[in-house]
Amino acid sequence: MTDRPREAARPGYRPEGLDDAFSDDAARTAASDDASGADAPAGGTTTGADGTSPEPAALPALGPVGWLRWAWRQLTSMRVALLLLVLLAVAAVPGSVFPQRPQDPARVAEYLTEHPDVGPWLDRLGFFDVYASVWFSAVYLLLFVSLIGCILPRTRVHLAALRGRPPRTPRRLGRFPAQGAGTSDDAPRAVAERAAAVLRRRRLGVPAFRVDVHDEGRGTWSVSAERGYLRETGNLVFHLALLGLLVSVATGQLLHYRGQAIVVQGTGFANVQAGYDSFERGSAFDPADLEPFTLRLDDFESRFDPRTLQSRDFTAHVTVTEPGGEPTPEQIKVNHPIVAGGAKVYLMGNGYAPHLTVHDAAGEVAFSDAVPFLPQDEVYTSRGVVKVPDVSGGQDQVGLVGFLLPTAVEAAPGLWRSVDPQPADPLLVLSVWRGNLGLDTGVPQNVYRLDESRMQQAVDDAGDVVTLYVRPGETVDLPDGLGTLTFDDMPRFVALDLRHDPSLAWVLTFALLALAGLMASLFAPRRRLWLRAAPRAGAPQDEGPGGAATVVTAAGLARGDDVGLQPELDRVLTAVLGAQPAAPHGDPGPDPQEDRT
């Protein structure tokens, strides 16, 4: 992206489509300088007819329209666009520093509780929902407008250049970076037409150069050729693709949804918002639009290296049922998701979910469910929390906190650890808490953490913490007459991540287009070649082919440094003259930029 089309830094080069306008402006500027500076004193001031100094010229006021035009030019300039791009990246940083309400409202509530002074101000400023905040949206929209304001005029100039003709051959070719010369026995017109045919040869079905043959009079013919419009085309494609990428990302943010669900072996999951453990969505997505389907976890297989215990393979065998369809068995592996209901279903984690039953002091079933324990290491030492709020008779609520050891070994008296991730000898090691779990305070709680602020840990008569050791099929008594705990079974669980983003295909398409455009803009050479065929001094102009001696001079110019410019000019001259061209001799003459028409 550039502020405006500008002339190249090398002498004699002008951007496409602007050659005539550039020459007119230069001529008018030079004429104005000559007229105004002819009689000007050395001090740079002028005097009137009566010898008095005139009043200094007053600058005209811009006015509202002028200021708006100035603001628009600043907004569509390259430096402002780059500044907005950097500002957008900086504005996205708080989204990774502070918890975001759409992803984790519980952490936001916890942050507000822990930071009562700063938290409310951050919430007012949108730091807990950065990507939907006013300031982030403003930067995003300004970058969007800046890109549009830069692309449209450049596209108009480029289309005009594509319809235009190559620049006329300069009168003097002596100071261009690439030069060549030679002679031919053919007439100048025949040489020029042969050169045009050589330059028009197709490469990959496209003419190599755009060519213009011109009769300069007095028997002299010239050829102008230009190539490299693909460079500017690639630049425009890159910016258009970047614009499409911004639109696609914004659309995806509006219409996407993502949710996580833990599914225990033998149970199922329904694609409704209430079925997710956590759920986030774009502001334009309605949860009622979720495509209904059910997924049941039938079995889970895990494979580990027997020596290092490193994981080798995880496979979740599931059955997916969509409306009006038959149940379909599927397999979900790591990095191999399935598609259900328009969403991709990824396998993100797995572990054990011991099924526990708690009877309260009155003998009533207060809790009976499978509780996922989260793995903490490579041998699946898993930590979990069991909350039992539904006790009868106004008794204290019960909380159980501890670890599940799939293959338990007593390393020391009272010290147990797991030595294998497979369930060879499972053991639950739990501590017991009683009191108020705090579930009725209205503040969201993490299901894998126990709020101990209103709880008291159970101890024995000696004041030592009570620890329960339970194996599958065993029942133990809870301390203080709180009831009993039964370890019924130990099924597996999987953590699934469901993602739906309708813009992903467009994001990939525009990203590839941006890459292709960038490569074209970087590697497509922008070159201009000129060739002039003139009769040798003293040779008859009406002499036929084979008898007239023609002097051929050629030059080339590229945008920036181009090591392939001189070899290409030599190849053209060799094809036109049928012999290796000679290096030009003599005084190069004045600067070609001063003499071009």
Side-chain angles (χ1 to χ4, degrees), residues 95 97-112 123 127-129 258-260 277-281 443-449:
V97 174
F98 298 100
Q100 299 296 292
R101 185 170 281 110
Q103 287 79 26
D104 197 345
R107 285 192 60 193
V108 174
E110 182 180 351
Y111 188 93
L112 292 173
D123 196 12
F127 280 83
F128 299 123
D129 194 0
R258 179 179 181 180
Q260 291 75 38
D277 295 301
S278 62
F279 185 80
E280 61 169 298
R281 62 183 178 88
V443 179
Q445 285 191 14
N446 191 330
V447 295
Y448 301 106
R449 294 183 59 183

Side-chain angles (χ1 to χ4, degrees), residues 169-438:
T169 305
R171 286 197 296 271
R172 300 185 183 273
L173 304 177
R175 289 190 179 179
F176 285 99
Q179 301 178 39
T183 60
S184 175
D185 293 334
D186 295 330
R189 180 172 183 177
V191 173
E193 291 176 350
R194 185 162 61 249
V198 171
L199 291 167
R200 287 194 181 103
R201 286 176 182 172
R202 292 182 173 270
R203 299 178 183 176
L204 301 177
V206 180
F209 282 85
R210 293 175 56 203
V211 180
D212 182 33
V213 180
H214 180 65
D215 182 6
E216 296 186 353
R218 299 181 181 179
T220 300
W221 289 75
S222 64
V223 179
S224 303
E226 190 169 19
R227 64 170 294 190
Y229 286 98
L230 183 61
R231 187 187 189 97
E232 180 66 11
T233 302
N235 205 340
L236 291 174
V237 168
F238 170 75
H239 287 84
L240 287 171
L242 184 60
L243 190 63
L245 199 61
L246 290 175
V247 174
S248 300
V249 171
T251 302
Q253 289 297 315
L254 290 174
L255 300 178
H256 86 288
Y257 74 82
R258 179 179 181 180
Q260 291 75 38
I262 290 181
V263 183
V264 179
Q265 184 176 344
T267 65
F269 161 79
N271 190 32
V272 294
Q273 186 174 356
Y276 289 92
D277 295 301
S278 62
F279 185 80
E280 61 169 298
R281 62 183 178 88
S283 57
F285 181 80
D286 187 355
D289 295 333
L290 287 170
E291 297 185 25
F293 71 89
T294 59
L295 183 148
R296 177 184 174 86
L297 178 61
D298 301 319
D299 193 14
F300 183 81
E301 297 178 1
S302 59
R303 185 166 57 87
F304 300 88
D305 187 280
R307 185 174 60 87
T308 64
L309 300 180
Q310 294 294 320
S311 59
R312 289 292 178 260
D313 182 63
F314 296 116
T315 303
H317 299 272
V318 300
T319 300
V320 178
T321 306
E322 301 200 25
E326 296 293 328
T328 305
E330 299 279 0
Q331 290 184 355
I332 311 177
K333 291 178 174 288
V334 178
N335 297 327
H336 290 82
I338 64 172
V339 178
K344 288 188 176 182
V345 184
Y346 294 86
L347 178 62
M348 300 300 295
N350 66 89
Y352 298 97
H355 192 285
L356 305 176
T357 300
V358 176
H359 291 80
D360 59 19
E364 301 292 335
V365 176
F367 179 87
S368 181
D369 201 358
V371 182
F373 276 57
L374 301 182
Q376 306 295 309
D377 54 27
E378 68 277 0
V379 292
Y380 275 54
T381 301
S382 306
R383 187 180 187 279
V385 175
V386 183
K387 300 179 182 182
V388 187
D390 299 327
V391 293
S392 60
Q395 305 175 45
D396 288 337
Q397 296 175 334
V398 178
L400 305 173
V401 182
F403 292 90
L404 169 67
L405 310 177
T407 302
V409 173
E410 190 173 13
L415 179 62
W416 295 80
R417 66 185 182 89
S418 178
V419 296
D420 196 288
Q422 299 289 12
D425 186 16
L427 176 68
L428 271 175
V429 182
L430 302 172
S431 61
V432 184
W433 296 73
R434 63 184 298 174
N436 186 351
L437 293 171

Side-chain angles (χ1 to χ4, degrees), residues 15-70:
E16 59 274 13
L18 297 181
D19 294 88
D20 295 337
F22 180 88
S23 299
D24 293 343
D25 290 344
R28 284 194 296 267
T29 302
S32 175
D33 292 343
D34 293 340
S36 61
D39 301 323
T45 60
T46 60
T47 58
D50 56 356
T52 60
S53 299
E55 293 293 332
L59 296 177
L62 286 178
V65 176
W67 280 109
L68 288 175
R69 185 181 293 111
W70 177 85

